[in-house]
Amino acid sequence: MLADARISTLLRTTIAAIDVPPAPVQEIRAKMRREPLRPARGRYVAVAAAAAVALAIVAFPRESFGVVESMEAKIAQILHWVPPPPPPKSVTDKMVTREVSLSEAQARAGFTVVSPAGLPPDVVRQTISMAPTGVYDTQARAWRSGPPAVGFQYWRRDGRSFVLLAHRADPHEPAPSKFVYEDMGGPGKLVLIKRELFVWRNGNQTMQIAAGDAISAREIVAIRTAMHGTAVATVDTPRASRSKTDVMYKIP
Amino acid sequence: MALALDSQLIDDARCGGAALDRLIETVWPEAFRIAKTILRDRALAEDAAQEACAAIARGLPELRDSARFCSWSYKAIVRHAIAVSRRRSPMQSLETLDERGIAHDATDALDLAAALAALPVSQRAVVVLHYYAGFKSREIAAATGTSAVTVRFHLMLARRALRAALTSNDAAPAPRPEAADAR
């Protein structure tokens, strides 16, 4: 028990020595008036329509097979788009996310990485991560490992975070969808929230992000403008994907 | 426990106004320090402490027994620190890894901080609630949303790591592993 007492004493000493910033009473008061933030699930079910790039995480790892079938049927009914089957382990094993520096991302991405600018002023922290994508060939109905994508994740002062996703531009890819649908439902319950998708190019980089709780459409346009990006035209047609492939990202 | 408040201030703060500001100012240092110990990142600790203080202020009118304020607050602080840790990237910045969260050079404290840093967030939270706030395993389980058995297991692993850090500093033989006794 002597060690316990010593741990306790040392812990008190260590904690007491932490330098504390002034109490942000007004910010706390403002947060107090707000409803607690609903945790973002970050689970984009599908990019409806002519999505060359499906911003999709379509696997439902915690659901039973029956629930998955039922949810897929609902997605197909609502979006007229049938999500691909979950990728095999041989593909997901390669989709390992790594935090990288900007220079490392630029050296390894396979395209000229242009980092975001014009970010909201309350961004307090950022990370850059990279991961190989998973590519589903809709004709061959097979998954394979794809080229890496780079994610710029930013945290705002109130804890919200958003990710700008960059990948190599493909001049042959069809126009992306104007909207993505984010699943905000609980286990076994599908609640699709429509989000506007913004896509722009800088050289051979395509960057995309959906407006939502963490970042507004106006803030995204400010970023695109500050980066001198060229907006990619989107299409608002909730039809099946015209793309030959669907791409799965595992970022962040 | 370091968080000791006048029950009159708690009662006054239920009505809001300047008393609530004073209560927030009193709770803030403790909230920040605990969040910093668990998260080891100043920006994240500020986020967690702010959210915890907001939750405490918001929930204050529903707290019937002012005597429970201290333990109730610790639970809120630890819960929000864990929630913030889940939102952040699994990778840590180099800045975070270099920071030990201590402002003095006592060797024992350095060893303890280093040993704490090596623990997962869930175990750091358990350590803070047990060794700092004086919680029993059942109270820690209620605060962290796990079972008392899990808490005792985490505590045993954490205790083993912390004791090893301290005993290696003393150049003493390694401690005999023992079962958790935080009942």
Side-chain angles (χ1 to χ4, degrees):
Chain A
M1 287 304 103
L2 181 62
D4 269 5
R6 195 168 159 202
I7 290 169
S8 189
T9 306
L10 283 172
L11 190 61
R12 283 170 198 281
T13 311
T14 306
I15 291 177
I18 293 173
D19 182 37
V20 180
V25 176
Q26 293 311 315
E27 287 178 45
I28 291 169
R29 284 277 205 168
K31 282 190 178 185
M32 180 191 156
R33 284 189 288 272
R34 248 180 280 155
E35 282 296 304
L37 284 174
R38 189 176 179 182
R41 291 174 186 276
R43 199 169 59 157
Y44 288 98
V45 166
V47 174
V53 180
L55 235 188
I57 293 179
V58 289
F60 304 98
R62 283 190 292 271
E63 312 288 357
S64 70
F65 184 70
V67 172
V68 171
E69 277 196 320
S70 153
M71 290 175 82
E72 286 186 352
K74 283 181 188 169
I75 292 169
Q77 191 183 353
I78 298 166
L79 304 179
H80 306 278
W81 179 78
V82 180
K89 195 171 179 296
S90 58
V91 172
T92 54
D93 280 353
K94 290 177 185 165
M95 294 171 70
V96 178
T97 308
R98 284 187 58 237
E99 192 168 299
V100 293
S101 64
L102 180 60
S103 54
E104 198 178 347
Q106 283 167 335
R108 301 175 58 152
F111 57 92
T112 307
V113 177
V114 180
S115 58
L119 295 159
D122 63 341
V123 164
V124 292
R125 185 166 176 264
Q126 73 153 7
T127 57
I128 305 171
S129 46
M130 276 183 84
T133 51
V135 178
Y136 181 71
D137 187 319
T138 53
Q139 291 176 332
R141 296 184 181 180
W143 282 96
R144 66 171 193 274
S145 240
V150 179
F152 294 87
Q153 184 167 20
Y154 298 93
W155 280 265
R156 309 186 73 152
R157 183 159 288 282
D158 60 7
R160 294 176 296 162
S161 75
F162 58 90
V163 180
L164 288 149
L165 196 61
H167 55 89
R168 186 182 178 85
D170 177 358
H172 302 297
E173 67 189 28
S177 168
K178 189 173 181 181
F179 299 104
V180 295
Y181 293 82
E182 186 181 2
D183 174 23
M184 296 296 280
K189 188 181 177 189
L190 189 68
V191 179
L192 294 180
I193 308 292
K194 196 175 186 179
R195 308 280 197 204
E196 187 172 2
L197 181 69
F198 293 82
V199 185
W200 62 93
R201 291 220 175 111
N202 288 92
N204 62 350
Q205 168 182 287
T206 297
M207 184 163 271
Q208 60 189 24
I209 184 170
D213 296 336
I215 187 165
S216 67
R218 182 179 293 187
E219 289 169 324
I220 294 171
V221 171
I223 292 171
R224 187 183 68 196
T225 307
M227 289 176 70
H228 305 290
T230 305
V232 174
T234 53
V235 290
D236 183 13
T237 49
R239 299 285 178 217
S241 171
R242 284 187 283 139
S243 170
K244 290 178 181 174
T245 56
D246 287 320
V247 180
M248 178 187 280
Y249 295 95
K250 201 181 173 190
I251 288 177
Chain B
M1 288 190 216
L3 188 59
L5 266 81
D6 179 5
S7 62
Q8 186 61 50
L9 174 61
I10 297 167
D11 290 340
D12 292 347
R14 291 180 204 275
C15 303
L20 183 59
D21 287 351
R22 278 208 309 283
L23 182 129
I24 290 171
E25 282 168 356
T26 311
V27 172
W28 170 257
E30 195 69 358
F32 179 80
R33 286 188 178 119
I34 289 174
K36 174 72 171 60
T37 305
I38 293 171
L39 295 164
R40 297 171 50 246
D41 180 297
R42 286 189 77 83
L44 292 177
E46 275 197 52
D47 286 346
Q50 280 188 24
E51 285 176 24
C53 286
I56 289 166
R58 200 187 296 124
L60 201 54
E62 291 162 27
L63 181 70
R64 291 181 185 171
D65 183 4
S66 298
R68 287 187 54 244
F69 178 82
C70 184
S71 60
W72 177 71
S73 300
Y74 276 120
K75 284 178 191 171
I77 296 164
V78 169
R79 209 175 286 150
H80 279 87
I82 292 171
V84 165
S85 81
R86 285 179 182 152
R87 283 206 299 263
R88 76 172 167 177
S89 165
M91 301 292 285
Q92 290 178 315
S93 67
L94 288 174
E95 181 192 351
T96 307
L97 291 171
D98 287 342
E99 201 172 349
R100 298 293 186 218
I102 51 173
H104 57 97
D105 59 1
T107 311
D108 273 353
L110 276 170
D111 290 339
L112 187 82
L116 264 178
L119 299 177
V121 168
S122 55
Q123 284 180 25
R124 282 204 293 271
V126 167
V127 165
V128 168
L129 283 174
H130 179 65
Y131 285 108
Y132 184 73
F135 277 34
K136 304 291 182 200
S137 55
R138 266 181 300 180
E139 295 171 299
I140 299 172
T144 55
T146 53
S147 70
V149 173
T150 305
V151 167
R152 286 198 287 273
F153 180 66
H154 278 315
L155 200 51
M156 181 192 73
L157 294 178
R159 182 183 284 132
R160 194 181 289 174
L162 297 179
R163 280 181 181 167
L166 294 177
T167 50
S168 67
N169 186 43
D170 294 341
R176 180 170 51 90
E178 64 178 57
D181 55 3
R183 292 181 179 91

